Amino acid sequence: MTHGDGDEAGYRVVRNDEEQYSIWRADRELPAGWHAEGTAGTRQECLDHIGRVWTDMRPLGLRRRMADSAA
């Protein structure tokens, strides 16, 4: 068992309705408005996954408004 940041405790990747990502301890209830994305692992594994999949940091609502104004 490691000490410090609790890396071995287990984390999961979560996403909100605006398609923004974060990590959350797997042993804790998810906060309102956040949903499990399906990826779980160590803290670093989850952060690495987010780095690969979250390529556009803009919230979904903003992306939609920008796409509508460009059309």
Side-chain angles (χ1 to χ4, degrees):
M1 179 172 184
T2 61
H3 298 285
D5 66 1
D7 192 49
E8 298 305 315
Y11 288 82
R12 58 184 156 179
V13 176
V14 296
R15 185 175 64 195
N16 65 20
D17 293 336
E18 285 290 326
E19 296 185 354
Q20 296 170 309
Y21 288 82
S22 189
I23 62 171
W24 197 254
R25 292 275 304 260
D27 61 348
R28 296 191 178 171
E29 187 175 328
L30 293 177
W34 291 86
H35 313 281
E37 177 263 5
T39 302
T42 65
R43 181 178 185 276
Q44 191 59 54
E45 288 168 338
C46 290
L47 291 172
D48 290 346
H49 174 74
I50 290 171
R52 287 188 300 273
V53 299
W54 195 14
T55 58
D56 189 341
M57 299 282 189
R58 297 173 298 166
L60 180 61
L62 175 60
R63 293 193 318 261
R64 286 181 174 160
R65 285 192 303 276
M66 291 178 77
D68 289 345
S69 67

